[in-house]
Amino acid sequence: MVCDAGTMSEPKRHASLDPGPPTTVVLFGATGDLSRRKLLPGLFRLLTNGLLPHVRIVGTSLDDHTQESFVQFARESLTKFESTITDAEWENFARRLTWAPGGTPESLREAVAAAESELDGPQNRLHYLSVPPKAALAVIRTLQEAGLAEDSRIIMEKPFGTDLASARSLNASVHEVFDESQVFRIDHFLGKEAALNILAFRFANGLFEPIWHRNMIDHIQIDVPEALGLEQRATFYEATGAFRDMVVTHLLQVMAFTAMEAPTSLDPAAITEEKNKVFRSMLPIGPEDVVRGQYAGYRDEDGVDPESETETFIALRCFVDNWRWAGVPFYLRTGKNMAEGMRIISIAFKEPPKSMFPKGSGIGQSGPDHLTFDLADESKMSLSFYGKRPGPGFRLDKLSMQFSVGEIDHSAHVLEAYERLILDAVRGDRTLFTTASGVERLWEVSEGLLSQPPPVRPYAKGTWGPNQIHQLIAPRAWRLPFERGWRSK
C-alpha cells in the first residue's frame, strides 16, 4: 500500500481548505488537446496544492501508447503548460498515472482496479469524457460493460445534442446507464471565478440587489468574441456552428446566473432550481431575433463545404418573461476571428428620466451607466458613472470604479476553471453544472431559430461582426469595443 502523505510535497496554497476524498479519475481522450492543455495540468495543480492529495489517474484513448509513453506525454504537457515543477512534485504526480491500452472494458477494469488498490478507505471514481460528442455513448457503454458505472460520476463535454430531439435522445441513452445525479455536464465558463462573483455581488450587497430588475436596468449584454479561428476544428465546427457551440452551452448558462432569483441557500440544488426557472421563463428565440455571420475565407478552410451556410458568428436578442425581467432585452454575441478575444457581461442601467444639467454639459453623451464583469482568467469588475470635471462650470465626464481579483491578497487562491469543476465533481457539488431538463429547455426555446435560420452575413476577419448587428440592438449600442480600457494595477 502506498502512503500518499509520506511522499507528497508541501502544498503551495489552499492549505486551509478541506481536501477532496480519495479519487480515481478515469480520463478518456487522455492524449488529446484538452487533456494536454487543461486536464493533466489541472489535476497536477489539484494534487500539488493539496486539494486532491489522494488522486489516481487512469488514462486511455485511441492513440497507441504504453505506460511509459503516456507518462512522457504527461511530462511534456506539464513542461509546456505549467510554470514551475520540482522533481519531487513530478515524481509524486507521475507515480499516480496508469495507462489503459485500447480503452476496452477489460483493460479499463484492470487499470482502475490497480489504481484503486493503492487508495485507502472510501473512494470516489470520476470518469471524464474528453472525447467528441459522437463518441460519448460508446464510452458510456464501455463503462457499463466494464462494471465501472455504478457508484461513480461522469463529466461530459459539450455540446449536449444539436437540437431538442437529439438532446432528449442523448439524455435518455445516458440515463440507461447513469442516474442524473451522477452526470456532470461541464461548462468551463461557469468554472471561472468571475461567474461565482456574480452571485456574490448580487446577493451579498444591499446596494445592488434592490435595483437588479426591469425598473432600473435597461438591457444586459453578454459578449464573448474570439480572436482565434477554427484551430484545426473545421470538421467539428462545420457540423456545429457558433449557436450550438457557444450560445446554448455557454452564453445562456452565464445569462442564468445574471438573471436568476435569489436561491434559498448556496446548496447546489437550490441554485440549479433558480437557473432552470430562468430557462423556463425564456421566450422562444426566432429568426427575427438573430444575426448570423460567417467570416470571409471560412469556406476555403480544409473540411468546410464550399457553399457552407454554417455561422461562425451569432448575435441574438432574447427575453426572460417573468416579473423581474419582463421587457428587458438580453443581447448575446460571439464569433470566431473577431477583433479581440473577450468575455464580458455588461449591465446597462436606465438613465434619469429628465436632466437638470445644461446642454453641452456632457450628460448622456457617453451612454448609460454600466456595471461590467470581465470573465477573463484574472477577473475584473467596473462601475461607470458621470462625475463633475474639476474646474469652473458644470462639465460632466464618464468615470469608473474598477476592481481586479489580481489586486487582492487572496489572488493566488484562484482556481483555473477546469480545476474548480473537476474538484466540484469529485465532491458532488452540482452548482456550476447543467442538468438534462435545463439543456432540453434551451433547445426547446431555440426550435424556431433552428428550423428557420436567417441567412449568414459576411464579415471581415478582425472586426466585430456583420453590420446588421447594429440594427438588432438599435437604438442601443454594443458595449464592445470599449471606449475606455481597463486601468492597469
Side-chain angles (χ1 to χ4, degrees):
M1 187 69 64
V2 177
C3 178
D4 291 329
T7 57
M8 196 180 83
S9 58
E10 186 68 20
K12 292 188 285 190
R13 61 187 190 208
H14 301 295
S16 62
L17 297 180
D18 293 333
T23 301
T24 296
V25 177
V26 184
L27 184 54
F28 293 86
T31 56
D33 186 60
L34 179 62
S35 177
R36 183 175 66 94
R37 290 185 297 107
K38 296 293 186 181
L39 303 182
L40 288 171
L43 287 165
F44 170 80
R45 287 189 291 270
L46 289 172
L47 168 67
T48 305
N49 296 333
L51 291 177
L52 281 182
H54 309 294
V55 68
R56 289 292 184 277
I57 302 161
V58 175
T60 188
S61 75
L62 297 179
D63 294 334
D64 188 16
H65 274 276
T66 64
Q67 174 71 21
E68 293 73 22
S69 64
F70 175 54
V71 171
Q72 180 61 29
F73 174 88
R75 178 72 207 215
E76 292 170 355
S77 300
L78 297 184
T79 299
K80 184 170 184 178
F81 295 102
E82 186 65 21
S83 55
T84 58
I85 311 171
T86 68
D87 290 341
E89 288 171 344
W90 164 246
E91 291 171 5
N92 187 36
F93 184 70
R95 68 183 183 81
R96 299 164 187 273
L97 300 173
T98 302
W99 180 249
T104 64
E106 295 76 16
S107 66
L108 279 172
R109 191 184 305 115
E110 292 174 4
V112 169
E116 292 182 343
S117 69
E118 301 197 5
L119 296 173
D120 281 323
Q123 302 172 17
N124 283 4
R125 186 185 301 142
L126 176 66
H127 306 295
Y128 196 120
L129 272 59
S130 179
V131 298
K134 62 183 180 181
L137 290 181
V139 172
I140 288 173
R141 294 189 200 98
T142 299
L143 289 171
Q144 184 181 33
E145 292 175 23
L148 298 175
E150 189 176 356
D151 297 326
S152 65
R153 298 179 179 126
I154 181 169
I155 292 180
M156 297 185 66
E157 283 281 347
K158 55 100 175 172
F160 314 113
T162 57
D163 54 22
L164 179 59
S166 62
R168 285 174 172 168
S169 176
L170 174 62
N171 285 328
S173 297
V174 171
H175 291 159
E176 290 176 2
V177 181
F178 291 94
D179 183 78
E180 176 65 15
S181 63
Q182 297 175 270
V183 183
F184 291 74
R185 297 169 187 82
I186 196 167
D187 174 10
H188 70 271
F189 269 52
L190 295 187
K192 295 182 178 297
E193 194 74 28
L196 291 174
N197 224 350
I198 297 171
L199 297 184
F201 191 90
R202 283 192 58 191
F203 300 124
N205 294 294
L207 177 62
F208 287 98
E209 177 53 26
I211 64 173
W212 206 269
H213 53 69
R214 67 187 185 280
N215 294 335
M216 299 295 180
I217 291 176
D218 180 78
H219 69 279
I220 293 175
Q221 295 181 33
I222 301 175
D223 219 342
V224 187
E226 296 182 279
L228 296 175
L230 299 184
E231 305 296 304
Q232 288 79 52
R233 297 171 69 230
T235 302
F236 163 79
Y237 206 85
E238 175 67 0
T240 306
F243 183 80
R244 291 178 171 92
D245 184 42
M246 290 291 293
V247 176
V248 174
T249 52
H250 292 325
L251 274 66
L252 289 175
Q253 302 296 333
V254 173
M255 187 192 77
F257 268 76
T258 308
M260 64 189 280
E261 297 293 329
T264 55
S265 70
L266 283 179
D267 178 75
I271 293 175
T272 297
E273 173 57 20
E274 295 305 332
K275 285 173 55 185
N276 285 342
K277 284 181 183 178
V278 173
F279 300 147
R280 292 196 295 269
S281 299
M282 285 182 64
L283 295 178
I285 302 169
E288 69 279 3
D289 299 312
V290 174
V291 173
R292 298 167 72 233
Q294 188 183 91
Y295 67 77
Y298 172 75
R299 295 176 181 177
D300 299 326
E301 302 267 11
D302 290 338
V304 172
D305 185 336
E307 299 181 359
S308 173
E309 291 293 309
T310 297
E311 79 278 358
T312 63
F313 168 95
I314 191 161
L316 65 146
R317 172 182 56 216
C318 56
F319 294 89
V320 178
D321 193 29
N322 59 20
W323 276 67
R324 183 181 290 265
W325 297 114
V328 176
F330 289 75
Y331 296 101
L332 282 57
R333 176 173 61 166
T334 186
K336 298 288 188 182
N337 276 320
M338 297 184 69
E340 294 182 58
M342 301 190 77
R343 297 161 183 171
I344 298 293
I345 302 173
S346 187
I347 316 295
F349 293 99
K350 290 186 175 180
E351 298 187 70
K354 186 173 178 60
S355 175
M356 68 180 189
F357 297 99
K359 187 176 181 179
S361 65
I363 188 71
Q365 289 184 1
S366 298
D369 299 337
H370 282 88
L371 174 64
T372 303
F373 296 87
D374 186 341
L375 302 186
D377 290 335
E378 187 170 302
S379 60
K380 305 171 186 175
M381 290 188 295
S382 173
L383 178 63
S384 68
F385 55 92
Y386 283 101
K388 181 185 176 299
R389 181 186 297 179
F394 222 111
R395 180 70 183 176
L396 302 178
D397 287 329
K398 202 71 167 182
L399 309 173
S400 68
M401 293 186 292
Q402 297 185 6
F403 159 79
S404 171
V405 167
E407 297 177 359
I408 63 176
D409 293 338
H410 301 288
S411 60
H413 290 200
V414 173
L415 291 175
E416 195 273 335
Y418 283 96
E419 292 178 57
R420 176 186 300 281
L421 293 170
I422 291 172
L423 184 61
D424 283 354
V426 166
R427 290 173 165 168
D429 186 338
R430 305 176 60 82
T431 302
L432 300 177
F433 296 87
T434 56
T435 64
S437 60
V439 168
E440 290 177 14
R441 172 57 183 164
L442 292 179
W443 287 122
E444 184 179 11
V445 300
S446 305
E447 282 192 298
L449 168 63
L450 296 177
S451 63
Q452 292 182 304
V456 291
R457 310 286 186 175
Y459 67 97
K461 293 181 181 179
T463 66
W464 292 101
N467 289 332
Q468 287 79 5
I469 63 172
H470 303 297
Q471 300 167 14
L472 179 71
I473 201 172
R476 304 172 179 92
W478 290 100
R479 182 76 165 133
L480 289 178
F482 285 137
E483 294 179 3
R484 297 173 303 280
W486 293 98
R487 288 196 297 268
S488 59
K489 183 176 180 181

